[in-house]
Amino acid sequence: MYIPGNHDDLLAKFYGAYGNIIVQKRAIHRSASGRRMLIIHGHELDTIVQNVKWLAFVGDVGYQFLLSLNPAINFFRRRFGLGYWSLSAYAKKRVKDAVSFIGRFEEQIVHCASIRPIGDTAYYNCGDWVESCSALIEEYDGSLSLVHYPPHAEAAAFASRKSAA
C-alpha cells in the first residue's frame, strides 16, 4: 500500500493497483491484534497545504532546495567530526513554529514521528525517510513500535571497513 503525500502529489492521479502495490488516498489497516487503524498522510490535516495552495507550492520548492543542500552540508560536518544535521528539518520547524498560530495545528496533530495517546485514540506517526529516518513496525502480536534508522550509518560503516583494509 502506498499513500501519496504533499511531496509526491503527482502520484495521487494514479490511484489503483499496480502489481503488489496499491496507491490510495487513505486506508483502513487491521493489525494482527484486530485493531483497526486509519492510515492517511498528514498533509490532509494541514490548513496551509489544503487552503493556500500557492503558498504550499512555494514552500515545497524551498523545502526541496534545502533538501538538496543537506548532502553538501553534512559532507563538511563529517569532515569536522560532527554528526548528521538537517538544514531542511531545521528550517521546516522554524517556519512551522512561526505560523503555528494559524489554526493551532500543532495541538491537533503531531508533526514528527511519535506514538502517543490523544484522548481515547492511539496516534501513530511513522515520520519519514528524508529527515527523521523513522518508520513504524508491526510485530506479530499486532503491537506497533517506532524505529529510527541512524542517517549515514551504512556509509560510515563502509568507510571504516575501507580504511581498515
Side-chain angles (χ1 to χ4, degrees):
M1 168 182 8
Y2 187 84
I3 312 288
N6 51 313
H7 295 291
D8 51 5
D9 208 25
L10 170 72
L11 295 175
K13 296 177 176 95
F14 299 100
Y15 290 135
Y18 301 92
N20 291 335
I21 299 172
I22 300 171
V23 180
Q24 55 195 68
K25 184 173 184 173
R26 60 180 59 96
I28 301 291
H29 172 72
R30 186 172 296 277
S31 72
S33 63
R35 286 184 303 161
R36 291 173 26 134
M37 293 178 243
L38 172 64
I39 311 295
I40 63 170
H41 189 276
H43 78 288
E44 287 188 57
L45 305 172
D46 190 322
T47 56
I48 299 270
V49 170
Q50 294 304 313
N51 300 317
V52 190
K53 300 276 186 195
W54 68 268
L55 183 56
F57 175 77
V58 170
D60 188 44
V61 169
Y63 177 73
Q64 294 299 328
F65 174 71
L66 293 177
L67 276 176
S68 72
L69 296 177
N70 280 346
I73 290 169
N74 284 293
F75 171 81
F76 288 106
R77 288 181 61 84
R78 282 191 302 276
R79 294 283 181 234
F80 290 104
L82 300 170
Y84 179 80
W85 181 74
S86 174
L87 172 62
S88 57
Y90 174 79
K92 184 174 166 183
K93 179 167 180 7
R94 297 299 298 224
V95 168
K96 285 204 183 267
D97 287 347
V99 298
S100 67
F101 65 91
I102 301 172
R104 302 306 302 162
F105 182 71
E106 187 72 32
E107 293 173 5
Q108 297 172 19
I109 203 77
V110 179
H111 287 288
C112 57
S114 67
I115 297 175
R116 72 175 196 165
I118 298 177
D120 60 353
T121 302
Y123 175 80
Y124 300 93
N125 184 330
C126 64
D128 62 78
W129 282 109
V130 176
E131 293 172 349
S132 63
C133 298
S134 58
L136 286 171
I137 298 195
E138 182 178 354
E139 304 294 340
Y140 290 110
D141 65 359
S143 63
L144 294 174
S145 57
L146 184 63
V147 294
H148 291 274
Y149 180 80
H152 308 293
E154 286 184 5
F158 177 77
S160 66
R161 284 194 308 267
K162 189 135 176 110
S163 64

